[in-house]
Amino acid sequence: MTLQPARDDTAHTADGKVRCDACPVTCWIRPGLAGACDRYANRDGELVRVDPHVILQRTLDQGGRVVPFSRRAAEWAGEILSDDAPLFVTAIGAGTTYPDYKPAPFIVSAEVDGVDMVTVVTEGIFSYCGVKVKVDTDRWLGPEQATVRAQGEAVGHVTTGEYGSQMLSLGGVHHLTGGSKKEGRVTCDTLLELSNGKPVELVVDGGSTIVVEAGKPPVINGVPEERMRVGCGSATIGIFAKQWLGKVDEVVVVDDHITGVLSEHQSGKVLGIPPTGIRMKGRRSTPGRYFQVAEPGTGWGGTDISDPLSILGAFDPAVARPGLTLFMVSTTGEHAAFYRLDEALRPVEAAMPAALRASTERIKENCEPALSTVLFMAGAGGSLRAGVTENPVRLTRSVKDTLTRVTCGGAPVYVWPGGGITFMVDVTRLPANAFGYVPTPALVAPIEFTLRLDDYAALGGHMDHVRPLSTLGEHERRLVPQLPGNTWPFGREGPPWGRE
Ligand code: SF4
């Protein structure tokens, strides 16, 4: 079994070097060595793609292990790849169309349920790409718009705070190409590591140090995050109000965004909970909902406080009474305390009653595990389209018209509305190490276009390069089971079956 030759018109020198032109770097590669990206090598004077080409197998045992194609082929007693097998040719390890005047490396036909289909695959070189990172945490990571750094270089920024999560936007063409050479290289490294599911340490200017790894809990200032909030402070009041009824006089759910106060909250009113004379700091939004009770931080409920009483004013003596009980809890249940008012109406901490301990546990139980989510985002609306069709805009239109399904390493993608073919994919949905890089710098990501063969002909596809799956057998390939939960690219859901 041999590695797949990258192309058949490779330039050579007399001393055996071969020239790779799979990206603008155009390495001259000595015999036995690899190019700058480690993706192409000179093997006995032939330019080869180093990694095996990945083919997805739709298996019933979704947990199946990865099987080297060579071994599997032997098991099949010489039968290479059956055209009607439940297989899907990905672009991982397939090679590229660069410099974009030639057709995609694989344009593979298959008959699926009586319909002639074609899948066009290429490893795209993306100078326009980045990752969107969702960090599930209440803790404050840094100010919105603050620069996010890796290895001291600016690689992105903090963007919006979402429900129980802080979003980061990393990469993009400005960090890849618009800064110093080092900034571009480090940005490329950071995107590559995150996209391939590796941990990366990020430092937010004026904020926290975070270790992000796709599908794993974020580590914030050295502490792994365990739980995502059950809700904002107001939502938490609403969820648990009935369970607190009769067990405590007042509840405050401390939250950096919306702190909730049971007796003033609509749910407390509906339940007939009497006023307690509590006075809150911060800005009252609506009854029982307070903004800005403290500064953001890594303490209670994503604030900077370690003493929850610091967000209370003095109790109103006209309403409060000695002995009144107060439960204070954070949105994840990580922090909780119980108080009783003394004769001077000051809250004094006391042992937590069992019912409130159970309530704290219930809040924790209702929190989902905190994770980091990494979505790779890239623009495929440029030159790689020429590898698919001689009339690139027709591919864009075909994607918009949902006649062409776009996948990334066989994983489903979200294609943004509007111009271009700008897509996002959850990196955990791809086979391992699906992403590469070239030192221009740019990320290399697999992309596949699947459509009906007659639609492909209609959009000006490279019909003379269409070949059946069974012709792919002579070089090293790797069969990878389809990930559970991924839509099968030939499935009937969505394009290209829409007309049926
Ligand atoms: S860096 Fe570019 S030219 Fe060099 S081996 Fe990799 S793909 Fe080929």
Side-chain angles (χ1 to χ4, degrees), residues 18-29 34-41 47-49 96 98 125 437-440 444:
V18 296
R19 195 187 72 170
C20 174
D21 68 355
C23 89
V25 177
T26 58
C27 299
W28 282 99
I29 309 174
C37 65
D38 288 332
R39 296 166 56 246
Y40 288 87
L47 182 69
V48 293
R49 180 71 177 85
T96 182
Y98 194 83
I125 299 173
Y437 82 103
V438 291
T440 54
V444 177

Side-chain angles (χ1 to χ4, degrees), residues 366-440:
N366 277 273
C367 294
E368 293 175 78
L371 296 176
S372 301
T373 308
V374 177
L375 298 190
F376 175 76
M377 177 167 167
S383 60
L384 73 75
R385 293 176 300 171
V388 182
T389 165
E390 290 173 348
N391 199 351
V393 74
R394 288 202 186 163
L395 175 64
T396 312
R397 290 180 190 146
S398 179
V399 170
K400 301 294 176 198
D401 292 343
T402 64
L403 297 175
T404 294
R405 174 176 289 172
V406 184
T407 51
C408 180
V413 306
Y414 174 76
V415 179
W416 279 75
I421 305 174
T422 301
F423 69 95
M424 291 199 299
V425 63
D426 176 352
V427 301
T428 64
R429 309 311 304 168
L430 277 77
N433 294 317
F435 293 84
Y437 82 103
V438 291
T440 54

Side-chain angles (χ1 to χ4, degrees), residues 135-146:
V135 181
D136 296 341
T137 185
D138 269 359
R139 282 172 239 279
W140 190 71
L141 301 186
E144 245 174 53
Q145 304 174 15

Side-chain angles (χ1 to χ4, degrees), residues 66-140:
V66 171
V67 182
F69 178 76
S70 53
R71 214 183 320 141
R72 185 60 189 260
E75 286 169 14
W76 289 352
E79 185 189 7
I80 309 266
L81 284 174
S82 163
D83 284 340
D84 56 7
L87 301 173
F88 178 77
V89 179
T90 79
I92 303 167
T96 182
T97 62
Y98 194 83
D100 300 324
Y101 65 83
K102 56 191 180 196
F106 294 103
I107 304 176
V108 180
S109 62
E111 187 182 312
V112 183
D113 293 348
V115 180
D116 288 326
M117 307 290 296
V118 66
T119 301
V120 187
V121 313
T122 187
E123 290 183 299
I125 299 173
F126 292 106
S127 301
Y128 294 85
C129 73
V131 295
K132 307 298 174 205
V133 183
K134 173 172 166 281
V135 181
D136 296 341
T137 185
D138 269 359
R139 282 172 239 279
W140 190 71

Side-chain angles (χ1 to χ4, degrees), residues 307-324:
D307 175 10
L309 297 181
S310 64
I311 65 170
L312 303 187
F315 275 74
D316 180 356
V319 182
R321 57 179 168 74
L324 186 139

Side-chain angles (χ1 to χ4, degrees), residues 150-151 189-202 210-219 372 374:
Q151 302 170 42
D189 284 355
T190 303
L191 298 180
L192 180 66
E193 295 293 277
L194 287 171
S195 299
N196 278 333
K198 307 280 183 346
V200 170
E201 182 176 279
L202 303 168
I210 326 155
V211 177
V212 170
E213 182 178 354
K216 299 278 170 56
V219 180
S372 301
V374 177

Side-chain angles (χ1 to χ4, degrees), residues 171-356:
V173 70
H174 293 305
H175 288 291
L176 281 168
T177 70
S180 67
K181 196 169 176 184
K182 188 177 176 202
E183 179 178 325
R185 182 178 57 74
V186 171
T187 299
C188 188
D189 284 355
T190 303
L191 298 180
L192 180 66
E193 295 293 277
L194 287 171
S195 299
N196 278 333
K198 307 280 183 346
V200 170
E201 182 176 279
L202 303 168
V203 179
V204 180
D205 280 3
S208 302
T209 297
I210 326 155
V211 177
V212 170
E213 182 178 354
K216 299 278 170 56
V219 180
I220 299 162
N221 295 331
V223 180
E225 189 64 277
E226 284 182 34
R227 282 177 290 275
M228 190 175 173
R229 58 171 47 194
V230 64
C232 69
S234 171
T236 309
I237 293 278
I239 294 169
F240 294 100
K242 214 166 177 183
Q243 299 181 36
W244 289 321
L245 190 64
K247 293 172 183 149
V248 64
D249 297 313
E250 184 65 281
V251 179
V252 176
V253 181
V254 181
D255 176 12
D256 175 42
H257 311 132
I258 309 168
T259 289
V261 179
L262 177 62
S263 65
E264 299 178 4
H265 194 271
Q266 183 63 13
S267 54
K269 297 280 181 223
V270 172
L271 290 169
I273 294 173
T276 59
I278 195 166
R279 287 185 180 129
M280 299 294 300
K281 294 179 181 169
R283 179 160 69 83
R284 185 171 174 273
S285 161
T286 51
R289 300 169 76 254
Y290 290 85
F291 298 163
Q292 300 156 17
V293 295
E295 293 298 317
T298 55
W300 279 60
T303 69
D304 63 343
I305 63 166
S306 54
D307 175 10
L309 297 181
S310 64
I311 65 170
L312 303 187
F315 275 74
D316 180 356
V319 182
R321 57 179 168 74
L324 186 139
T325 54
L326 168 67
F327 176 49
M328 299 189 78
V329 66
S330 67
T331 42
T332 56
E334 180 183 338
H335 298 96
F338 176 72
Y339 304 90
R340 207 179 289 279
L341 296 195
D342 65 10
E343 292 301 322
L345 302 180
R346 287 179 308 223
V348 177
E349 188 158 7
M352 179 92 66
L356 296 181

